[in-house]
Amino acid sequence: MPMEKSEIARLLSPLVQEGADLYEVGGPVRDGLLNVASKDHDILCRGLPMKKLVSLLRPHGKVAAVGKSFGVVKFNPSRAPGLEIDIALPRRERSTGSGHRDFDVDFDPNLPVEADLGRRDFTVNAMAMSLTEGKLIDPYGGEADLKAGILRQVFPKAFKEDPLRLVRAVQFAARFGLTIEPITWSAMRENAELVASVSGERISQELVKLMRAPRPSVGFDLMRDSGLLKHILPELDALRGIEQDKQPGDDVYGHTMRALDA
């Protein structure tokens, strides 16, 4: 359910009245800058410990603690049935292995918002918008990259820490018409085989999002050229180089991509 930022701020006013700083973060900020409607409501809450945050929200709706070590809550306000707001404390993450759950997570309500943004995947997703001041916090140049049509990793080990980001890069590039910048592209090619460690369920969720692109073939071509496709859909990768009878010089992969876009 899309909703104005002012309405979200009003629903979370009990937190603000107790001194919390609230920020919209990630995809909703990116989508807002692109003038694209977003159904997600991802909020970062600074200044309140989790126990206090939950106690303040309970009189105003349903609160469910989720996330590793319960640093995230899902809030369903009584005044907005059907609305779900994800509220998280700022956190630092330290990779302890190759799996997406192999992290030490440190939730800290007093952590600067810039530190929280620094753990995110791409600069266009590493922005925050203050709900009270309407100010954009953009320490990694995400707005400039968005305007320039560039997809750039926030930090060098982004793909090693969570290989699902390899597929996310593909679907973001295809959906929003972004060009993957050279260092990020090189990192994708170097780490492509790590996608084999990601569950099929997580990959399929990203592929469903890729299908929303104006031309999904753009994403599949990126997977092909980066080396991801042979790990994700080897049957599709095997169609490359097989001659397509209907059009000399064509191959079955190219024909399949045209059919997909159509």
Side-chain angles (χ1 to χ4, degrees), residues 40-108:
D40 296 329
H41 302 290
D42 298 328
I43 306 299
L44 190 71
C45 177
R46 292 190 67 249
L48 292 178
M50 180 56 68
K51 186 175 181 179
K52 180 71 171 179
L53 186 157
V54 170
S55 68
L56 289 170
L57 290 179
R58 283 203 189 280
H60 305 282
K62 181 181 177 182
V63 182
V66 297
K68 194 168 185 178
S69 302
F70 302 109
V72 182
V73 299
K74 290 187 179 295
F75 176 51
N76 300 102
S78 301
R79 289 186 291 177
L83 178 67
E84 185 172 85
I85 305 173
D86 288 347
I87 307 170
L89 299 184
R91 67 184 184 262
R92 286 192 178 98
E93 296 175 346
R94 183 177 64 85
S95 177
T96 58
S98 60
H100 77 279
R101 292 188 177 91
D102 296 333
F103 287 94
D104 280 338
V105 182
D106 178 26
F107 293 98
D108 182 353

Side-chain angles (χ1 to χ4, degrees), residues 113-129:
V113 62
E114 293 84 358
D116 180 271
L117 296 175
R119 67 179 175 78
R120 297 175 184 264
D121 50 9
F122 306 107
T123 61
V124 298
N125 295 330
M127 296 180 282
M129 182 73 72

Side-chain angles (χ1 to χ4, degrees), residues 58-262:
R58 283 203 189 280
H60 305 282
K62 181 181 177 182
V63 182
V66 297
K68 194 168 185 178
S69 302
F70 302 109
V72 182
V73 299
K74 290 187 179 295
F75 176 51
N76 300 102
S78 301
R79 289 186 291 177
L83 178 67
E84 185 172 85
I85 305 173
D86 288 347
I87 307 170
L89 299 184
R91 67 184 184 262
R92 286 192 178 98
E93 296 175 346
R94 183 177 64 85
S95 177
T96 58
S98 60
H100 77 279
R101 292 188 177 91
D102 296 333
F103 287 94
D104 280 338
V105 182
D106 178 26
F107 293 98
D108 182 353
N110 298 314
L111 194 68
V113 62
E114 293 84 358
D116 180 271
L117 296 175
R119 67 179 175 78
R120 297 175 184 264
D121 50 9
F122 306 107
T123 61
V124 298
N125 295 330
M127 296 180 282
M129 182 73 72
S130 169
L131 286 185
T132 52
E133 299 177 1
K135 178 183 177 182
L136 180 68
I137 293 88
D138 181 17
Y140 301 99
E143 183 180 24
D145 280 350
L146 203 56
K147 289 179 178 178
I150 292 172
L151 189 72
R152 188 191 313 271
Q153 62 188 358
V154 172
F155 59 100
K157 293 184 178 180
F159 299 120
K160 287 185 178 180
E161 291 200 352
D162 187 355
L164 182 68
R165 289 168 172 165
L166 294 158
V167 192
R168 285 170 61 81
V170 164
Q171 63 99 344
F172 285 138
R175 282 172 57 206
F176 301 118
L178 304 176
T179 299
I180 301 173
E181 64 91 27
I183 295 176
T184 302
W185 178 249
S186 178
M188 289 178 64
R189 297 186 67 182
E190 290 174 6
N191 293 288
E193 64 182 16
L194 296 180
V195 78
S197 68
V198 182
S199 72
E201 180 183 13
R202 296 182 78 214
I203 291 174
S204 70
Q205 290 170 352
E206 299 303 320
L207 294 183
V208 168
K209 295 175 185 177
L210 171 57
M211 294 302 177
R212 303 174 190 166
R215 293 176 55 226
S217 67
V218 171
F220 284 94
D221 287 348
L222 287 170
M223 285 192 281
R224 175 199 65 193
D225 295 342
S226 64
L228 288 169
L229 192 60
K230 63 185 177 183
H231 298 291
I232 296 174
L233 290 169
E235 302 89 347
L236 184 57
D237 189 62
L239 301 181
R240 298 165 58 191
I242 298 178
E243 187 174 349
Q244 172 67 33
D245 294 338
K246 295 182 180 179
Q247 188 171 333
D250 192 15
D251 67 6
V252 179
Y253 172 85
H255 175 82
T256 303
M257 290 298 100
R258 290 195 300 276
L260 174 63
D261 288 345

